Amino acid sequence: LGAGGLIRAYSQSASQTIENAQLATLVNYDRLQLIFDYSLIDKLKYFIEKQKAVVMETNYQTKVQAVILVETSDSKNFQKRLIDLFSGRIIVKKINEEPRPSIIENE
Protein backbone atom coordinates (compact mmCIF):
# COMPACT_ATOMS: atom_id res chain seq x y z
CA LEU A 1 0.00 0.00 0.00
CA GLY A 2 2.85 2.38 0.64
CA ALA A 3 2.99 5.06 3.31
CA GLY A 4 0.04 7.05 1.91
CA GLY A 5 -2.15 3.97 1.54
CA LEU A 6 -1.38 2.79 5.05
CA ILE A 7 -2.16 6.22 6.48
CA ARG A 8 -5.53 6.29 4.67
CA ALA A 9 -6.34 2.72 5.76
CA TYR A 10 -5.45 3.38 9.39
CA SER A 11 -7.31 6.72 9.38
CA GLN A 12 -10.44 5.10 7.95
CA SER A 13 -10.24 2.25 10.45
CA ALA A 14 -9.80 4.67 13.37
CA SER A 15 -12.72 6.82 12.18
CA GLN A 16 -15.02 3.81 11.91
CA THR A 17 -14.01 2.62 15.37
CA ILE A 18 -14.76 6.01 16.90
CA GLU A 19 -18.14 6.23 15.11
CA ASN A 20 -19.15 2.77 16.40
CA ALA A 21 -17.77 3.20 19.92
CA GLN A 22 -20.17 3.38 22.86
CA LEU A 23 -19.61 5.19 26.11
CA ALA A 24 -19.90 3.18 29.29
CA THR A 25 -19.76 3.94 32.96
CA LEU A 26 -19.07 1.59 35.84
CA VAL A 27 -22.10 0.82 37.98
CA ASN A 28 -21.90 -1.09 41.26
CA TYR A 29 -24.06 -4.21 41.49
CA ASP A 30 -24.86 -6.48 44.41
CA ARG A 31 -24.57 -10.18 43.65
CA LEU A 32 -27.39 -11.83 45.60
CA GLN A 33 -28.11 -15.49 46.23
CA LEU A 34 -31.79 -16.41 46.39
CA ILE A 35 -32.97 -19.71 47.89
CA PHE A 36 -36.62 -20.65 47.42
CA ASP A 37 -39.15 -23.41 46.73
CA TYR A 38 -39.94 -24.55 43.21
CA SER A 39 -43.51 -23.27 43.55
CA LEU A 40 -42.22 -19.66 43.50
CA ILE A 41 -40.24 -19.86 40.22
CA ASP A 42 -42.75 -18.24 37.85
CA LYS A 43 -43.71 -15.42 40.20
CA LEU A 44 -40.03 -14.75 40.97
CA LYS A 45 -39.03 -14.71 37.29
CA TYR A 46 -41.75 -12.15 36.58
CA PHE A 47 -40.66 -9.99 39.53
CA ILE A 48 -36.98 -10.10 38.51
CA GLU A 49 -37.79 -9.11 34.92
CA LYS A 50 -39.91 -6.15 36.08
CA GLN A 51 -37.11 -4.97 38.39
CA LYS A 52 -34.45 -5.21 35.65
CA ALA A 53 -32.31 -7.53 37.73
CA VAL A 54 -30.13 -10.05 35.90
CA VAL A 55 -30.14 -13.79 36.61
CA MET A 56 -26.54 -15.02 36.46
CA GLU A 57 -27.09 -18.69 37.34
CA THR A 58 -29.74 -21.06 38.63
CA ASN A 59 -29.23 -24.40 40.39
CA TYR A 60 -32.04 -26.85 40.94
CA GLN A 61 -31.52 -28.92 44.06
CA THR A 62 -33.84 -29.61 47.00
CA LYS A 63 -34.65 -25.92 46.70
CA VAL A 64 -33.91 -23.57 43.83
CA GLN A 65 -30.79 -21.43 44.22
CA ALA A 66 -30.38 -18.44 41.94
CA VAL A 67 -27.66 -15.82 41.75
CA ILE A 68 -28.77 -12.42 40.49
CA LEU A 69 -27.31 -8.96 39.99
CA VAL A 70 -29.12 -5.85 41.24
CA GLU A 71 -27.82 -2.29 41.14
CA THR A 72 -26.36 -1.54 44.56
CA SER A 73 -28.29 1.74 44.74
CA ASP A 74 -31.57 -0.24 44.58
CA SER A 75 -30.46 -3.41 46.35
CA LYS A 76 -31.91 -2.79 49.83
CA ASN A 77 -35.27 -1.70 48.39
CA PHE A 78 -35.23 -4.68 45.99
CA GLN A 79 -34.56 -7.12 48.84
CA LYS A 80 -37.33 -5.62 50.98
CA ARG A 81 -39.88 -5.83 48.14
CA LEU A 82 -38.78 -9.40 47.42
CA ILE A 83 -39.19 -10.54 51.02
CA ASP A 84 -42.53 -8.72 51.35
CA LEU A 85 -43.87 -10.14 48.06
CA PHE A 86 -43.00 -13.70 49.04
CA SER A 87 -43.98 -13.31 52.70
CA GLY A 88 -40.53 -14.33 53.89
CA ARG A 89 -40.58 -17.62 51.93
CA ILE A 90 -37.36 -16.66 50.15
CA ILE A 91 -33.86 -16.41 51.59
CA VAL A 92 -31.71 -13.56 50.26
CA LYS A 93 -27.96 -13.45 50.90
CA LYS A 94 -25.58 -10.81 49.58
CA ILE A 95 -22.51 -12.50 48.12
CA ASN A 96 -20.52 -9.41 47.13
CA GLU A 97 -20.56 -6.06 45.37
CA GLU A 98 -18.95 -5.65 41.98
CA PRO A 99 -18.55 -2.88 39.43
CA ARG A 100 -19.84 -3.67 35.91
CA PRO A 101 -19.89 -1.55 32.77
CA SER A 102 -23.20 0.00 31.80
CA ILE A 103 -23.63 1.43 28.27
CA ILE A 104 -24.62 5.09 28.13
CA GLU A 105 -27.38 5.45 25.52
CA ASN A 106 -26.91 8.10 22.85
CA GLU A 107 -29.66 10.69 22.77
Side-chain angles (χ1 to χ4, degrees), residues 36-46 60 64 86:
F36 54 94
D37 291 325
Y38 283 84
S39 62
L40 305 178
I41 288 176
D42 291 334
K43 190 174 182 180
L44 182 61
K45 281 183 182 179
Y46 181 77
Y60 301 94
V64 182
F86 292 99

Side-chain angles (χ1 to χ4, degrees), residues 44-86:
L44 182 61
K45 281 183 182 179
Y46 181 77
F47 175 79
I48 288 172
E49 287 173 11
K50 294 298 251 182
Q51 302 306 310
K52 298 180 182 158
V54 179
V55 178
M56 300 303 289
E57 64 184 74
T58 307
N59 295 310
Y60 301 94
Q61 298 174 6
T62 306
K63 291 192 178 249
V64 182
Q65 296 181 22
V67 175
I68 64 170
L69 292 178
V70 178
E71 281 192 37
T72 300
S73 62
D74 188 43
S75 183
K76 294 234 186 269
N77 189 30
F78 176 89
Q79 291 178 56
K80 183 183 180 324
R81 288 189 314 256
L82 188 63
I83 290 167
D84 289 347
L85 179 65
F86 292 99

